[in-house]
């Protein structure tokens, strides 16, 4: 039987062991636990240890998802590594993970780079490739080593980000199967690229000693601008994906938004009219892990039984680019 749909089989996540609390940061820079909690909702984040890399947590999250799904490494026939912080520019994170997991030689593996909307872009790509019969078990990973690209002297940004990885396996399905992906909508607007950027390290500005001294090889952000765009875009794309599928907010059991800042999450939920008890959050524990926030939230809420079979899940993300996306899944 041809697959009319694709579905998510299971979730896995992995975080570095090292915990960096707000109090730890307050010892290094002019900030406080109270300020960070009040403005962002973040209490702590995880940080890769020296010698640990993005591919370590990406592979661990993938292994956890495969174990949970009962899928053997030999079944995976495509790896999509959604990331903004690969181990290196060449080879891709996807290829590094393929080698780490010992997947079959020849299995394609590549990266998707669309800032914090990356994992939803990965789901959309996987869905299309599964429904057209190109692939049967697509590993979709969202994994970041953001603390490697943070200017630890810039209190405007360094308190926000953390490292982490989440993964799923997308497989052929019929419309009424559990975990079915109903839709994903993805948008970009490159005109606002400068409000959140990592200026050096590409062809426009190589990482010269001067660029490094000026910390241009780190994330730079106009926080207020990003905040305003994030709230507007996530509300709009959430409404768009619901309307396209003849659904309303009342049909949604769980709203799983990108975890950048609790205030952004609350503002989006309020404007949508989504009650707080149906909004999934883990930003207090991990900070903003970009492409990893949605899959790690899904993993946590599914594993402890809060997200249950048959429930409708609305996922929404926003990030640099600008990029923004929304997806619907019936677990
Ligand atoms: O995936 C998307 C990623 N990006 C984001 O999610 C960022 C979106 N933006 C935000 O989350 C918020 O804009 C921030 C959390 C970054 C900042 O919050 P805010 O309420 O917009 O603060 P602000 O930038 O307006 O700064 C208010 C004050 C400033 O001091 P002055 O100029 O009023 O004296 C900042 O210098 O807070 C100061 N400040 C801090 N103080 C203590 C900024 N960062 C800190 C800090 N600790 N870490």
């Amino acid at each position: 039987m041809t697959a009319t749909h694709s579905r998510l089989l299971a979730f896995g996540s992995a975080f570095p062991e090292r915990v960096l609390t707000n109090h730890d940061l307050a010892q290094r820079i002019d900030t406080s636990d109270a300020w960070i909690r009040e403005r962002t909702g973040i209490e702590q984040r995880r940080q890769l240890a020296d010698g640990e890399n993005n591919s370590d947590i990406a592979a661990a999250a993938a292994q956890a998802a495969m174990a949970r799904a009962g899928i053997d490494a030999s079944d995976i026939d495509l790896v999509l590594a959604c990331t903004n912080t690969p181990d290196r520019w060449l080879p891709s994170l996807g290829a590094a993970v393929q080698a780490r997991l010992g997947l079959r030689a020849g299995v394609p593996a590549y990266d998707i780079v669309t800032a914090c909307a990356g994992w939803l872009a990965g789901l959309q790509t996987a869905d299309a490739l599964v429904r057209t019969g190109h692939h049967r078990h697509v590993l979709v990973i969202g994994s970041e080593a953001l603390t490697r690209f943070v200017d630890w002297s810039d209190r405007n940004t360094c308190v926000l980000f953390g490292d982490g990885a989440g993964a799923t396996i997308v497989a052929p399905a019929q419309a009424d199967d559990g975990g079915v992906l109903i839709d994903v909508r993805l948008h970009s607007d490159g005109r606002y690229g400068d409000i959140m950027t990592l200026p050096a390290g590409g062809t426009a500005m190589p990482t010269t000693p001067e660029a490094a001294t000026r910390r241009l090889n780190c994330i730079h952000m106009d926080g207020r601008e990003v905040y305003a765009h994030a709230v507007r875009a996530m509300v709009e794309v959430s409404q768009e994906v619901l309307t396209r599928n003849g659904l309303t907010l009342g049909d949604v059991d769980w709203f799983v938004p990108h975890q950048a800042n609790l205030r952004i999450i609350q503002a989006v939920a309020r404007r949508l009219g989504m009650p707080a008890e149906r909004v999934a959050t883990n930003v207090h524990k991990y900070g903003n892990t970009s492409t990893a926030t949605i899959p790690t939230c899904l993993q946590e809420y599914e594993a402890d039984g809060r997200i249950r079979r048959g429930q409708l899940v609305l996922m929404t993300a926003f990030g640099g680019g600008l990029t923004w996306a929304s997806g619907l899944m019936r677990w």
Side-chain angles (χ1 to χ4, degrees), residues 209-240:
E210 194 215 334
T213 306
R214 292 169 58 204
R215 309 264 195 237
L216 295 173
N217 55 337
C218 297
I219 297 166
H220 288 250
M221 186 176 70
D222 180 338
R224 283 190 193 176
E225 273 284 303
V226 173
Y227 191 107
H229 283 286
V231 174
R232 177 192 48 76
M234 288 202 282
V235 169
E236 280 175 13
V237 73
S238 298
Q239 287 165 336
E240 177 194 350

Side-chain angles (χ1 to χ4, degrees), residues 31 35 39 116 155-156 221 223-224 258 260-261 263 288:
T31 189
W35 191 97
R39 303 289 179 121
C116 303
R155 68 178 186 176
N156 291 296
M221 186 176 70
R224 283 190 193 176
H258 170 49
N261 176 327
R263 277 164 60 218
N288 181 350

Side-chain angles (χ1 to χ4, degrees), residues 93-134:
L93 179 66
V97 169
Q98 183 202 22
R100 287 288 299 272
L101 294 176
L103 303 188
R104 283 184 287 121
V107 166
Y110 57 94
D111 292 3
I112 290 183
V113 187
T114 51
C116 303
W119 192 72
L120 290 179
L123 285 192
Q124 190 185 52
T125 305
D127 176 58
L129 294 173
V130 163
R131 283 192 293 106
T132 50
H134 284 88

Side-chain angles (χ1 to χ4, degrees), residues 246-270:
L247 294 163
T248 68
L249 218 62
D251 297 313
V252 176
D253 296 293
W254 283 105
F255 180 44
V256 184
H258 170 49
Q259 310 281 307
N261 176 327
L262 192 61
R263 277 164 60 218
I264 296 178
I265 294 170
Q266 288 167 340
V268 171
R270 209 166 35 243

Side-chain angles (χ1 to χ4, degrees), residues 53 69 75 85-86 91 122 131 157 166 215 229 251 304 317 323:
N53 280 308
D75 295 327
T85 52
R131 283 192 293 106
T157 52
R215 309 264 195 237
H229 283 286
D251 297 313
D304 68 15
T323 55

